[in-house]
């Protein structure tokens, strides 16, 4: 193990630090769960203060390697971090570029050398594989303490090394370098007497060097070693080689050079973000999505849409399904987010340009207009297998230009609103988790012991978060950062029963920005209605009740409510009596609406808005509603105290 930063050696000396860093590095850019790190460090015998100890190791790694230094905090002579160690609700992730690990470089070069060998470009294959093998300085992870994960990783890397070495020797044999290989192959055959691949290559090199008798002795030694150590006979390949050497078969002569097949030097794009942690309570949706993606059509690819309220985990579900379904899509796996950081819809023209660049289309060949780029994209995908994953689609006119042409492709979409187009083949709804599923999510993050200490408070936390995974993960992250807190302390803070962080109802956990982005996409009239209606502690609104509060017609009101449902900011359900429908806010969505800045037009839209702010008890809202309903009169504007 060796760590370099700007040419300076920063390799940790403490054994546990080396193990933690190695574990995070071999799974770079993937969240490694806390329990997996603990198992790797201590297996079945962790210390009593295991959480604090692990946090100390993470702190020491950040300090030693300067991981995650923000640019504005960089000291004199320091540079902003080009690698980062990030904390998640479930564990830690070491974020590295693809060239920062020699193992990543080795795997990439090894794969490139394999393709060059298969294409018959022996010179390129020998050079590439030699470059890959020069990255090795000894056995993988030999100087790092091993738990189950690193032990398996060491074995995997050693097998990759042997495969690359065999391929490089094969390329050298094709190039007539048998004399130069004899010393290396003799050593490898002596070190691994039962490795038939090395023995066969040594026999072939000796035969071509005119040393047939020595080649036959290698076979006899190998046969004896296999029988003595493994109780096996030589494989058919080794037997055939032995017979060919005995017969001086001309097939063993140096082969004529093949004309290399022209291959692409770049790997197909794999743009899907990391899969993340395992999902809770989403097995039915995962099964439905995988089934919909695999449903082949004759004329067009399947287009599958995931919808749900803000914070319901649409993006996390999309990534998991994308990784599970990506096997058949060997030509490309493309990804784009269709809103920017400010929540503005992305232009599909720009997304098409990014896709075409990823597909190795030269910059001067990318057309200027959206329609031309769309045609070029469809032409490229007409005979290929491509998975297109689109996150946060806002409108169908963003989606349709990005649909590939071949029915062997597929499109997986998350949407902030309900979408309809003939091209959409399936829609899967994602709702809040049940109480038990929410409790399981908290248990996965915080551990059984902490949940069992106060299960009632944990269940109340699930209720306060509306079962939304994003809110629950935010709550669990806060509790992980404060291991001395009982869960009930956070619950009281969310109820507003205590002062300090966490006070103010759900607003700290509802992921206000998610709700606010969806809200910004609606029309001004819908935005105003949303701000007004979220001020009321009303379980459900009928169109009649909402129309009286908004002082507009019932027809206009129902159109506004339906648009809120379309953007997943309300839910609709069957009504009672004459009311066919009633509309409801999730409490967390209502809490987010109350944080939105008020507008002068809100008071004109509803005088009740001024006299029933969110801080007044629900009874005041009920009285105001009764005035409207029974008397047809609006409450007079009076101070809140009265």
């Amino acid at each position: 193990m060796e760590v370099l930063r700007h040419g300076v050696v920063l390799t940790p000396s403490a054994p546990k630090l080396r193990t933690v860093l190695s574990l995070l590095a071999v799974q770079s850019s993937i969240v490694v769960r806390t329990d997996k790190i603990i198992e790797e460090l201590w297996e079945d015998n962790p210390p009593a203060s295991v959480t604090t100890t692990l946090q100390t190791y993470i702190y020491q790694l950040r300090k030693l390697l300067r991981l995650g230094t923000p640019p504005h905090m960089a000291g004199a002579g320091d540079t902003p971090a080009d690698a980062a160690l990030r904390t998640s609700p479930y564990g830690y992730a070491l974020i590295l570029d693809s060239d920062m690990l020699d193992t990543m470089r080795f795997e990439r070069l090894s794969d490139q050398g394999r393709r060059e060998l298969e294409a018959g470009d022996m010179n390129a294959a020998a050079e590439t594989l030699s470059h890959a093998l020069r990255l090795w300085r000894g056995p993988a992870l030999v100087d790092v303490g091993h738990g189950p994960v690193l032990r398996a990783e060491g074995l995997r890397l050693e097998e990759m090394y042997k495969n690359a070495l065999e391929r490089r020797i094969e390329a050298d044999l094709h190039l007539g370098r048998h004399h130069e290989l004899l010393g290396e192959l003799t050593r490898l055959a002596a070190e691994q007497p039962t490795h038939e691949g090395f023995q066969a290559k040594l026999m072939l090199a000796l035969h071509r060097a005119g040393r047939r008798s020595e080649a036959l002795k290698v076979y006899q030694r190998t046969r004896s070693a296999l029988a003595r150590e493994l109780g096996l006979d030589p494989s058919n390949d080794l037997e055939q080689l032995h017979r060919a050497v005995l017969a001086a078969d001309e097939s063993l002569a140096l082969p004529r050079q093949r004309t290399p097949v022209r291959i692409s030097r770049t790997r197909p794009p794999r743009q899907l973000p990391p899969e993340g942690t395992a999902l809770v309570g989403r097995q039915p949706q995962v099964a439905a999505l995988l089934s919909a993606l695999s449903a082949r059509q004759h004329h067009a690819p399947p287009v599958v849409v995931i919808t749900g309220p803000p914070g319901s985990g649409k993006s996390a579900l999309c990534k998991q399904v994308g990784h599970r379904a990506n096997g058949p899509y060997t030509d490309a796996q493309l990804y784009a987010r269709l809103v920017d950081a400010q929540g503005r819809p992305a232009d599909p023209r720009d997304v098409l340009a990014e896709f075409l660049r990823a597909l190795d289309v030269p910059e001067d060949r990318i057309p200027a207009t959206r329609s031309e780029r769309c045609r070029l994209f469809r032409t490229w995908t007409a005979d290929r297998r491509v998975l297109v994953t689109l996150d946060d689609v806002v409108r169908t006119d963003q989606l349709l230009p990005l649909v590939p042409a071949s029915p062997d492709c597929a499109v997986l979409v998350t949407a902030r609103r309900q979408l309809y187009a003939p091209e959409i083949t399936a829609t899967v709804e994602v709702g809040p988790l049940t109480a038990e599923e929410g409790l399981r999510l908290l248990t996965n993050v915080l551990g059984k012991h902490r949940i069992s200490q106060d299960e009632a408070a944990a269940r109340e936390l699930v209720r306060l978060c509306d079962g939304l995974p994003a809110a629950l993960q935010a709550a669990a992250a806060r509790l992980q950062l404060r291991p001395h807190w009982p869960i009930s302390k956070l619950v009281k803070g969310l109820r507003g029963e205590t002062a300090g962080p966490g006070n103010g109802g759900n607003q700290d956990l509802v992921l206000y920005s998610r709700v606010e982005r969806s809200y910004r996409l609606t029309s001004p009239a819908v935005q105003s209605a949303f701000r007004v209606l979220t001020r009321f502690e009303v379980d459900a609104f009928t169109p009649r009740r909402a129309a009286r509060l908004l002082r507009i017609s019932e027809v206009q009101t129902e159109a506004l409510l339906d648009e809120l449902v379309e953007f997943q900011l309300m839910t609709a359900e069957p009504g009672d009596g004459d009311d066919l429908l009633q509309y409801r806010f999730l409490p967390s969505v209502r809490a987010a609406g109350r944080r939105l800045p008020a507008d002068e037009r809100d008071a004109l839209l509803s005088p009740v808005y001024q006299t029933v702010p969110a801080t007044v008890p629900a009874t005041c809202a009920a009285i105001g509603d009764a005035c409207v309903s029974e008397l047809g009169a609006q409450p007079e504007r009076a101070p809140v105290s009265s």
Side-chain angles (χ1 to χ4, degrees):
M1 182 187 202
E2 185 179 61
V3 182
L4 297 172
R5 183 183 177 91
H6 305 309
V8 179
V9 177
L10 297 177
T11 311
S13 57
K16 295 294 187 187
L17 285 187
R18 296 165 71 87
T19 300
V20 173
L21 181 57
S22 298
L23 181 63
L24 295 173
V26 300
Q27 301 184 71
S28 64
S29 301
I30 297 173
V31 175
V32 182
R33 292 171 59 93
T34 303
D35 58 345
K36 290 296 182 186
I37 303 176
I38 292 171
E39 182 183 6
E40 193 74 16
L41 289 171
W42 295 284
E43 299 205 8
D44 296 328
N45 191 29
S49 58
V50 61
T51 303
T52 304
T53 303
L54 179 56
Q55 290 172 346
T56 301
Y57 292 157
I58 296 297
Y59 168 77
Q60 290 174 345
L61 283 177
R62 283 199 173 105
K63 184 177 179 181
L64 174 65
L65 305 180
R66 291 174 286 180
L67 293 171
T69 306
H72 66 279
M73 295 178 62
D78 202 356
T79 59
D82 48 5
L85 179 53
R86 295 181 183 168
T87 303
S88 86
Y90 303 101
Y92 302 94
L94 182 62
I95 310 301
L96 300 174
D97 288 341
S98 59
D99 276 338
M100 289 184 180
L101 279 178
D102 53 7
T103 53
M104 289 185 180
R105 292 201 297 274
F106 169 74
E107 290 188 41
R108 187 175 65 251
L109 290 168
S110 180
D111 190 52
Q112 179 183 330
R114 175 187 57 77
R115 294 198 306 272
E116 290 167 342
L117 186 67
E118 291 171 352
D121 194 347
M122 298 302 166
N123 281 295
E127 182 180 349
T128 301
L129 292 166
S130 295
H131 186 189
L133 293 166
R134 282 196 295 271
L135 294 171
W136 283 72
R137 299 185 304 275
L141 300 171
V142 68
D143 53 350
V144 176
H146 287 185
V149 175
L150 290 180
R151 195 175 299 118
E153 180 65 13
L155 293 173
R156 185 186 75 88
L157 289 170
E158 289 293 342
E159 284 303 313
M160 290 185 63
Y161 173 83
K162 290 178 184 177
N163 290 337
L165 181 57
E166 278 198 82
R167 291 189 180 109
R168 196 226 75 212
I169 292 171
E170 182 180 343
D172 284 340
L173 284 171
H174 274 83
L175 294 169
R177 298 171 182 169
H178 39 270
H179 289 287
E180 295 91 329
L181 287 171
L182 284 174
E184 180 183 15
L185 282 170
T186 301
R187 175 181 58 80
L188 289 170
E191 290 174 351
Q192 302 182 62
T194 59
H195 192 295
E196 295 184 68
F198 290 146
Q199 308 298 333
K201 288 176 174 56
L202 176 56
M203 289 175 63
L204 182 59
L206 287 167
H207 174 77
R208 288 181 181 171
R211 297 159 65 175
R212 270 207 308 159
S213 61
E214 294 178 57
L216 295 172
K217 288 179 182 178
V218 171
Y219 171 79
Q220 296 299 335
R221 284 200 308 268
T222 305
R223 183 177 182 179
S224 299
L226 288 169
R228 182 178 61 254
E229 297 185 23
L230 304 176
L232 297 175
D233 291 327
S235 65
N236 288 335
D237 289 345
L238 200 61
E239 289 278 11
Q240 290 174 8
L241 177 60
H242 175 236
R243 288 194 293 269
V245 172
L246 281 172
D249 196 317
E250 292 184 2
S251 65
L252 300 183
L254 190 66
R256 294 194 308 173
Q257 290 292 305
R258 290 186 290 161
T259 302
V261 178
R262 189 167 178 263
I263 62 171
S264 172
R265 292 301 181 93
T266 59
R267 298 182 66 180
R270 300 287 186 264
Q271 296 182 340
L272 273 172
E275 188 171 351
T277 55
L279 300 176
V280 173
R282 298 303 189 205
Q283 289 77 14
Q285 289 87 351
V286 169
L289 289 165
L290 291 173
S291 175
L293 286 170
S294 62
R296 288 287 172 262
Q297 304 181 103
H298 295 298
H299 60 285
V303 179
V304 184
V305 178
I306 305 171
T307 63
S312 58
K314 300 184 292 294
S315 295
L317 175 62
C318 180
K319 292 171 191 173
Q320 292 256 345
V321 172
H323 281 280
R324 289 183 60 174
N326 66 12
Y329 308 106
T330 53
D331 293 307
Q333 294 152 27
L334 303 173
Y335 172 86
R337 192 159 182 261
L338 273 294
V339 295
D340 62 16
Q342 287 72 43
R344 295 178 300 227
D347 188 341
R349 174 179 173 273
D350 298 331
V351 177
L352 283 166
E354 292 176 8
F355 283 178
L356 292 170
R357 291 187 194 102
L359 299 172
D360 285 340
V361 176
E363 191 71 30
D364 59 353
R365 297 282 305 279
I366 296 177
T369 67
R370 187 178 83 174
S371 60
E372 290 174 318
R373 290 179 181 181
C374 181
R375 284 194 292 272
L376 180 58
F377 178 68
R378 290 180 62 80
T379 299
W380 194 93
T381 58
D383 57 353
R384 289 177 170 88
R385 297 174 177 269
V386 178
L387 175 64
V388 177
T389 305
L390 304 173
D391 199 9
D392 260 346
V393 171
V394 177
R395 303 184 303 265
T396 54
D397 63 356
Q398 285 183 301
L399 165 63
L400 299 182
L402 303 175
V403 175
S406 171
D408 292 325
C409 300
V411 184
L412 183 59
V413 178
T414 71
R416 287 195 168 271
R417 62 185 296 182
Q418 295 171 349
L419 299 175
Y420 171 76
E423 291 81 0
I424 296 174
T425 56
T427 299
V428 175
E429 296 277 349
V430 181
L433 299 175
T434 65
E436 293 304 320
E437 290 166 348
L439 190 66
R440 193 158 75 248
L441 188 153
L442 292 176
T443 303
N444 288 347
V445 180
L446 301 174
K448 292 182 180 179
H449 178 68
R450 194 168 182 186
I451 296 296
S452 63
Q453 286 180 326
D454 199 354
E455 184 172 331
R459 290 183 178 276
E460 178 62 6
L461 181 58
V462 174
R463 188 191 68 79
L464 289 171
C465 293
D466 291 334
L468 295 173
L472 286 168
Q473 287 166 352
R478 181 175 302 174
L479 289 169
Q480 269 203 323
L481 293 172
R482 296 167 173 80
H484 54 286
W485 273 22
I487 298 174
S488 56
K489 176 174 175 60
L490 179 59
V491 169
K492 288 180 180 179
L494 295 174
R495 287 174 175 163
E497 297 174 9
T498 60
N503 195 7
N506 285 15
Q507 65 182 30
D508 293 324
L509 298 178
V510 293
L511 304 176
Y512 167 78
S513 61
R514 285 175 162 86
V515 175
E516 196 262 354
R517 281 198 293 269
S518 294
Y519 156 88
R520 293 294 175 198
L521 297 170
T522 62
S523 63
V526 171
Q527 292 178 12
S528 191
F530 180 75
R531 291 193 301 269
V532 170
L533 294 178
T534 52
R535 262 44 181 196
F536 293 94
E537 290 286 352
V538 178
D539 287 335
F541 294 93
T542 64
R544 183 184 300 110
R545 167 182 277 185
R548 288 171 176 163
L549 294 173
L550 298 174
R551 298 185 68 186
I552 57 177
S553 73
E554 196 170 323
V555 173
Q556 290 174 299
T557 300
E558 192 162 9
L560 298 178
L561 296 175
D562 284 336
E563 190 170 339
L564 287 171
V565 172
E566 184 181 326
F567 279 89
Q568 307 289 329
L569 295 173
M570 292 189 90
T571 59
E573 56 194 43
D576 298 320
D578 295 335
D579 298 304
L580 296 177
L581 292 171
Q582 59 181 4
Y583 299 81
R584 190 185 302 274
F585 289 114
L586 284 174
S588 54
V589 173
R590 180 193 291 138
R594 290 173 176 174
R595 295 180 62 193
L596 293 166
D599 190 280
E600 293 178 348
R601 292 167 294 183
D602 296 343
L604 297 175
L605 190 62
S606 175
V608 182
Y609 174 82
Q610 289 191 336
T611 58
V612 190
T615 54
V616 176
T619 50
C620 183
I623 292 170
D625 197 24
C627 290
V628 175
S629 177
E630 300 299 326
L631 305 178
Q634 299 291 340
E636 292 183 1
R637 298 190 184 186
V640 171
S641 59
S642 60

